Amino acid sequence: MTFLTIGHRGVMGVEPENTMRSFVRAERSGMDVIALDLRLSKDGTLVVLHDAEVDRTTDGSGAVTDLTLAELRGLDAGYGQHVPVLEEVLDAVRAPLQVQVHDLGVATALAELLLGRDLTGRVEVASFRDEVLGETSRLVPGVRTALYADQSAADAEATVGRAVDAGVQTLALNIRHLTLNTVESAHEAGLRVIGWTVNCLDHLRLARALGLDGVVTDFPEIRSTGRFTA
């Protein structure tokens, strides 16, 4: 089975996160999948931002939902980059996308786009929220989904159960809290298991030793190193 490297918000360790510059570099670095985050602007456009506010990642301030697309596009997201819209990313890179959805409003808008552009083969929908994944699956039959969880050792088995109940194909877990028992339990349930966020050689070796199917990373070097790390 192929060991996947998923570029976290592009390659946010070396480029401004969730920008076109970061996504293009992720693809050129050979990332198998590009992960990004979605929010809705005040006027209902799917924009690529992680936080509910723009303060941390741009030169602006305020809630994303209080800003129109035009206002968001006027912000500097780093090195002169603007805040992308999802369709811009879809057209600029060819890699598969893993799209992180934080709320039901975004899930509904995304479902319309996935159906309208027939993107179920290219886009995997990810979330920390079970209800978001359930609603997405209801609106877009056949869509691939991924449950993210910051599990502890105590609730690892319950997390696998959540993933099965949610009908996801992928379970993405914090590499710092992962155990072999959890990975084996998830694999026995037919789930692909991804570790996040893997930014050093020690964590990459751990991911390989645990038999993970892939990792989320901020750095392009993990892609090349991972090919030779057993």
Side-chain angles (χ1 to χ4, degrees):
M1 183 178 292
T2 301
F3 185 80
L4 295 176
T5 47
I6 301 174
H8 190 208
R9 306 176 202 168
V11 278
M12 64 175 286
V14 292
E15 298 288 359
E17 68 178 66
N18 280 328
T19 62
M20 295 304 300
R21 176 167 166 156
S22 191
F23 300 139
V24 169
R25 183 161 177 182
E27 182 164 69
R28 289 176 178 169
S29 301
M31 292 293 176
D32 300 299
V33 179
I34 296 173
L36 56 83
D37 303 86
L38 289 181
R39 297 282 178 181
L40 275 177
S41 68
K42 183 178 181 180
D43 42 0
T45 301
L46 288 168
V47 292
V48 184
L49 280 160
H50 176 270
D51 298 359
E53 296 80 29
V54 300
D55 302 55
R56 181 180 64 85
T57 58
T58 77
D59 61 351
S61 63
V64 178
T65 53
D66 291 337
L67 298 170
T68 65
L69 176 60
E71 290 170 329
L72 290 166
R73 298 284 268 186
L75 303 178
D76 187 337
Y79 297 142
Q81 295 285 292
H82 58 67
V83 174
V85 299
L86 177 57
E87 289 185 301
E88 183 180 14
V89 182
L90 287 164
D91 293 339
V93 297
R94 302 176 67 181
L97 302 181
Q98 186 187 82
V99 178
Q100 186 77 226
V101 175
H102 301 276
D103 60 66
L104 290 171
V106 172
T108 301
L110 176 61
E112 184 176 345
L113 179 63
L114 294 177
L115 292 170
R117 289 190 53 167
D118 191 22
L119 294 169
T120 55
R122 183 180 174 195
V123 175
E124 180 180 54
V125 179
S127 184
F128 281 87
R129 297 178 58 183
D130 306 54
E131 65 271 23
V132 165
L133 297 172
E135 180 66 3
T136 301
S137 295
R138 185 186 72 81
L139 293 171
V140 189
V143 69
R144 290 175 294 111
T145 52
L147 175 66
Y148 271 68
D150 190 6
Q151 82 296 342
S152 67
D155 62 15
E157 290 301 315
T159 302
V160 174
R162 279 178 58 201
V164 171
D165 291 343
V168 304
Q169 293 75 47
T170 301
L171 181 57
L173 299 173
N174 189 331
I175 190 71
R176 292 168 177 80
H177 304 151
L178 261 175
T179 66
L180 183 58
N181 285 340
T182 302
V183 176
E184 289 178 342
S185 177
H187 280 159
E188 288 171 3
L191 299 168
R192 181 173 67 172
V193 187
I194 302 295
W196 59 268
T197 301
V198 172
N199 288 334
C200 66
L201 187 56
D202 283 347
H203 281 157
L204 181 57
R205 285 175 174 149
L206 175 61
R208 287 295 205 176
L210 290 171
L212 298 187
D213 302 296
V215 296
V216 179
T217 183
D218 297 339
F219 293 99
E221 306 86 72
I222 293 295
R223 163 63 181 169
S224 56
T225 305
R227 294 168 58 197
F228 304 106
T229 302

